[in-house]
Amino acid sequence: MSTDDNRFKEMVEGSQDWFWEFDENAIFTYASPRIRDLLGYEPDEIIGLNAFDLMSPEEALRVRKHFDPIAKKYEAFNNLENTNIHKDGHEVVVESSGTPFFDETGQFRGYRGIDRDITSRKQNELALKENQALLKATKKMANLGSWQMDLANNHLTWSDETYRIFGVDRKNFVPSYEAFLQMVHPDDQARVDSAYSASLSQDGQVHYDIEHRIVKQDTVEIRYVHQKCKHQRNVKGDVLKSFGIVQDITERKRTEIALLAATESAEAANNAKSLFLAKLSHEIRTPLTTIVGFGELLEDAELSSEHKKYLSLINSSSRDLTALIEDVLDLAKIEEGKIALKKDEFNIFKFLDRIAAITQTQTTQKGLSFKTSIAPEVPELVIGDRMRIKQVLLNLLGNAIKFTEAGSIEVMVSLAEKTGGRMLLDFAVKDTGIGISDQSKEHVFEPFYQSPFLDLPEGKGVGLGLAISRSLATLMGGSIRLDSQQGVGSTFHFLVPLLFANENKTQDKKRSDIDFPTWQRAVLHVLLVDDNPNNIEYIKAVFEKMGHDVTVAENGKVAFDLYRESSFDLVLLDIDMPVMDGPETLKMIRSLKREETKLNMIIAQTAYAFLGDREKFLQMGFDGYLSKPFTTKELAEELTRILPGSSG
């Protein structure tokens, strides 16, 4: 073998491509060693096989359609793609090139050629094609188009989705900056042109990021789009090309416009309501002042017993009307958040005496027994909003007097809880009146509600007192709870957090009967979720007194973000909150997966304490339930119930 032959053999056998030879019937007569890596065969195994035996029947038929016309003309072929079957069964895509060869007499004897493995390349091409299809579908779903501007020749290129957004046909429309600008809404053209021109400045500090309107050409419809772009610059800072996106945001803008209109309408309605109430109050108070004033003057006049009776009814109705006006205005102020709380020091014993004196005339007139009692552990001096507490108690007492025809009314004050310098007082107003049915219990705190299940005499009010009382209680960080049995009587528990006027003096007193339990287990990482600052301050103090670590969130959205980033053993979740309420927050938190070793317990806390509420919230997915404001004992008992292996 000559030197040249040796070199050729070394090149063939060392090549990454497979060299082959087959005769006029496509029977292999030679195979280079590369066949081992390519298809898993030894070269000797290939000799005598037909080239089409290495393909599936379907592939062999397809390749013959391309190869046979070439072979009949004894022509060379290049880069003919075909899929061979590896010895182990998997497919290998190759790119074949071949040249015919002839004997000394010029007789055609077959082809000599080379196969190159392009499997990886074809897989990459397929993946790229699939990704491009996915990207195209995604852009269509997102109404997102793209464009490219070559500033050297002002050539503008659009994606298919950009054509669709502007409502033009690729076949009949040639995009250009001028044509685009003509499709921008006339009122926005100058702003859009100025924004793009400014972004081309050499300092590159101004970015093209703009929302504007367009006129869609196929429907002549006004649409909203959002455009952004980046520039490719040379070393001098001159822009060579712009690459941008355009997104149809019409539906979002329409929603924003509708929400803005609704908000403005609500604000206008609220302002109109406030103006109306202020006007109404002024117009009613003016003549009412005269009626009340002359009514009081006439009380000292010499009148017959019949006329005094008439005068008493007039004065009583005047007081009721005055109280109604105050109730309506108070309710409006609470709804608008215009009531500010005060913190005054006052004597709880003298305070209750004044409450009793105010209601004495009414109870005496109806022949009702009235008494007050203060538990020994209640401190003499407290700090809180005395006027608002008085307003709530007078509303509750007025309600009790109205619906009690015989028997007694009692106000009992007890210390439900104390934590450091804070306390939770329970003002219980108990009567022996007609009671409240189970059907009405869920609605008695609603404005203007009057029970359809009771046969009430006329003049029993318009149903604002309890609504205002609960709103004020919540504003002070407290709550109102109702226990009632129809035909037996009712007890309203008004719980409100207050401060000790003299913490050291109070703590010196013997109060062993109200010491709350301490936590005997490991410290819990607690997420406290509440929108009421007074509630937060009180409940946080309770947890910290028990030794727990507390993180505060003012609404459900903040709570979910904190929970997603950190690990909490317990979430105390308020039900009624702005932005995201308790049930929605519960769903969001439960959607997150946590380690099984974590407690991840969630307790509902709510000022609503009607029959069946506990069961309702537990069915929602809460692990526990507490009615605000709760005592430390109640908290410890609920923790003991829901936390495995804990003891309080």
Side-chain angles (χ1 to χ4, degrees):
M1 182 179 292
S2 68
T3 302
D4 290 339
D5 290 340
N6 285 331
R7 288 174 179 169
F8 180 74
K9 181 179 180 182
E10 289 175 0
M11 290 174 58
V12 168
E13 293 183 352
S15 173
Q16 293 299 308
D17 297 328
W18 173 38
F19 288 81
W20 50 262
E21 177 185 280
F22 60 63
D23 63 17
E24 61 271 21
N25 296 314
I27 303 297
F28 285 111
T29 56
Y30 171 79
S32 70
R34 173 61 177 158
I35 190 65
R36 298 190 190 99
D37 300 323
L38 185 65
L39 296 178
Y41 294 95
E42 290 296 326
D44 292 343
E45 293 180 272
I46 291 295
I47 306 303
L49 290 180
N50 189 290
F52 297 102
D53 290 341
L54 299 177
M55 307 175 192
S56 68
E58 296 80 5
E59 179 70 354
L61 184 62
R62 184 189 70 82
V63 175
R64 277 189 178 279
K65 289 182 179 180
H66 295 278
F67 176 73
D68 287 350
I70 296 173
K72 286 180 180 179
K73 298 178 181 179
Y74 312 127
E75 295 177 345
F77 60 88
N78 293 297
N79 303 326
L80 178 63
E81 291 185 9
N82 57 93
T83 302
N84 289 179
I85 306 299
H86 193 279
K87 189 174 182 179
D88 65 11
H90 75 268
E91 293 184 344
V92 179
V93 183
V94 298
E95 194 173 63
S96 297
S97 297
T99 303
F101 68 93
F102 304 85
D103 62 15
E104 295 81 358
T105 64
Q107 182 70 29
F108 171 69
R109 292 301 183 188
Y111 277 89
R112 295 187 181 108
I114 182 172
D115 278 12
R116 175 167 295 170
D117 187 351
I118 60 169
T119 305
S120 296
R121 190 186 81 190
K122 296 300 291 185
Q123 290 174 343
N124 291 336
E125 289 176 357
L126 180 61
L128 178 61
K129 187 175 181 180
E130 291 175 347
N131 287 337
Q132 288 175 338
L134 179 61
L135 179 61
K136 185 176 181 180
T138 302
K139 287 183 176 181
K140 187 172 183 180
M141 290 176 61
N143 292 322
L144 183 64
S146 58
W147 53 268
Q148 176 180 315
M149 180 74 171
D150 189 337
L151 274 73
N153 54 21
N154 286 326
H155 180 68
L156 180 61
T157 305
W158 279 3
S159 69
D160 290 342
E161 189 61 19
T162 305
Y163 282 95
R164 192 195 66 79
I165 290 173
F166 285 90
V168 291
D169 189 345
R170 176 186 287 272
K171 296 179 181 179
N172 303 318
F173 178 81
V174 178
S176 67
Y177 182 74
E178 292 73 19
F180 150 73
L181 207 56
Q182 286 300 313
M183 290 186 285
V184 174
H185 191 282
D187 294 343
D188 295 345
Q189 286 178 1
R191 181 167 61 90
V192 170
D193 189 32
S194 176
Y196 182 68
S197 298
S199 71
L200 299 176
S201 61
Q202 287 193 350
D203 58 16
Q205 298 301 311
V206 180
H207 300 285
Y208 185 64
D209 187 340
I210 188 171
E211 292 182 3
H212 62 86
R213 292 165 293 175
I214 64 170
V215 180
K216 193 175 181 183
Q217 299 301 291
D218 54 354
T219 59
V220 198
E221 176 189 6
I222 296 176
R223 307 287 292 181
Y224 289 85
V225 297
H226 178 204
Q227 291 211 68
K228 296 176 68 174
C229 83
K230 288 187 176 181
H231 302 304
Q232 177 187 344
R233 299 175 183 270
N234 60 19
V235 292
K236 297 179 180 180
D238 299 324
V239 176
L240 302 177
K241 291 183 179 181
S242 298
F243 304 91
I245 60 170
V246 54
Q247 184 175 27
D248 189 328
I249 58 169
T250 304
E251 300 309 317
R252 191 194 81 192
K253 292 297 292 184
R254 286 174 177 170
T255 301
E256 290 176 357
I257 292 170
L259 286 174
L260 179 61
T263 301
E264 292 175 347
S265 177
E267 290 177 352
N270 194 50
N271 292 335
K273 183 185 74 172
S274 300
L275 183 61
F276 169 76
L277 289 175
K279 180 78 171 174
L280 181 67
S281 173
H282 177 269
E283 295 301 324
I284 295 178
R285 285 173 184 272
T286 300
L288 191 59
T289 301
T290 304
I291 296 172
V292 172
F294 280 108
E296 291 178 349
L297 290 176
L298 285 174
E299 288 179 352
D300 297 327
E302 295 183 2
L303 301 173
S304 65
S305 59
E306 184 178 5
H307 289 166
K308 285 185 177 181
K309 178 182 177 181
Y310 295 159
L311 179 61
S312 177
L313 292 173
I314 292 173
N315 288 344
S316 176
S317 296
S318 299
R319 286 191 295 270
D320 289 343
L321 184 56
T322 302
L324 173 61
I325 295 171
E326 294 295 338
D327 284 347
V328 171
L329 292 179
D330 275 347
L331 187 62
K333 289 178 182 178
I334 293 172
E335 290 176 349
E336 295 173 12
K338 293 183 178 180
I339 289 185
L341 297 177
K342 299 179 180 180
K343 290 185 178 181
D344 302 317
E345 179 180 305
F346 62 96
N347 187 302
I348 198 70
F349 295 91
K350 293 181 180 180
F351 171 77
L352 202 60
D353 287 342
R354 284 193 289 270
I355 295 293
I358 293 172
T359 57
Q360 183 177 6
T361 301
Q362 292 173 284
T363 54
T364 301
Q365 287 177 347
K366 296 191 70 172
L368 301 174
S369 169
F370 182 81
K371 61 180 180 179
T372 62
S373 62
I374 300 177
E377 66 269 17
V378 175
E380 182 177 354
L381 296 177
V382 298
I383 295 176
D385 195 324
R386 175 178 54 185
M387 295 304 297
R388 294 304 174 187
I389 296 173
K390 174 184 174 183
Q391 186 176 356
V392 173
L393 286 177
L394 289 178
N395 274 336
L396 295 178
L397 283 168
N399 190 74
I401 294 170
K402 286 178 183 178
F403 298 105
T404 303
E405 299 301 326
S408 64
I409 293 176
E410 184 177 2
V411 179
M412 300 164 287
V413 185
S414 61
L415 184 60
E417 176 82 28
K418 77 178 181 73
T419 306
R422 300 177 65 81
M423 75 188 82
L424 185 64
L425 280 192
D426 182 358
F427 292 89
V429 178
K430 182 179 181 180
D431 65 57
T432 58
I434 58 178
I436 299 173
S437 67
D438 290 340
Q439 297 96 319
S440 297
K441 284 180 182 178
E442 297 184 9
H443 305 286
V444 292
F445 294 102
E446 297 174 3
F448 305 106
Y449 177 79
Q450 290 184 327
S451 174
F453 303 101
L454 298 176
D455 183 17
L456 302 178
E458 294 183 3
K460 289 300 182 182
V462 294
L464 281 177
L466 291 180
I468 292 172
S469 296
R470 167 168 257 181
S471 297
L472 287 173
T474 302
L475 187 65
M476 289 184 281
S479 69
I480 296 180
R481 186 177 74 246
L482 168 62
D483 297 322
S484 184
Q485 185 176 350
Q486 196 166 4
V488 177
S490 303
T491 301
F492 286 87
H493 289 272
F494 167 39
L495 292 99
V496 60
L498 299 171
L499 298 174
F500 288 102
N502 188 326
E503 183 177 347
N504 294 330
K505 178 182 176 181
T506 303
Q507 291 179 340
D508 289 340
K509 296 182 180 181
K510 185 178 180 181
R511 306 202 188 282
S512 58
D513 57 324
I514 61 166
D515 286 341
F516 52 79
T518 56
W519 187 252
Q520 303 298 328
R521 191 171 159 80
V523 172
L524 298 176
H525 189 190
V526 180
L527 178 60
L528 171 59
V529 190
D530 202 307
D531 63 310
N532 186 290
N534 293 316
N535 278 347
I536 291 173
E537 187 176 353
Y538 173 71
I539 298 172
K540 186 172 184 288
V542 171
F543 270 114
E544 290 177 343
K545 187 68 176 179
M546 293 177 71
H548 299 308
D549 176 39
V550 182
T551 300
V552 174
E554 62 270 21
N555 61 59
K557 176 64 169 61
V558 175
F560 175 70
D561 291 340
L562 287 171
Y563 191 91
R564 185 169 50 188
E565 299 298 329
S566 303
S567 177
F568 294 93
D569 301 304
L570 175 70
V571 180
L572 191 64
L573 183 58
D574 190 24
I575 294 299
D576 189 13
M577 294 180 295
V579 184
M580 185 189 294
D581 63 14
E584 181 64 22
T585 306
L586 174 71
K587 292 180 183 178
M588 296 289 289
I589 289 177
R590 292 298 193 208
S591 69
L592 297 175
K593 294 183 179 179
R594 284 288 193 251
E595 300 176 21
E596 294 183 0
T597 55
K598 297 297 181 182
L599 295 176
N600 300 321
M601 307 301 283
I602 303 178
I603 297 179
Q605 58 155 340
T606 175
Y608 298 99
F610 297 117
L611 187 66
D613 275 353
R614 170 182 284 273
E615 291 74 17
K616 178 178 69 175
F617 289 117
L618 293 181
Q619 287 176 0
M620 283 184 188
F622 287 96
D623 300 294
Y625 166 88
L626 286 168
S627 174
K628 293 191 299 184
F630 48 80
T631 64
T632 306
K633 180 181 178 183
E634 291 171 335
L635 173 61
E637 289 175 349
E638 191 67 358
L639 293 180
T640 301
R641 186 185 72 80
I642 69 170
L643 296 178
S646 62
S647 60

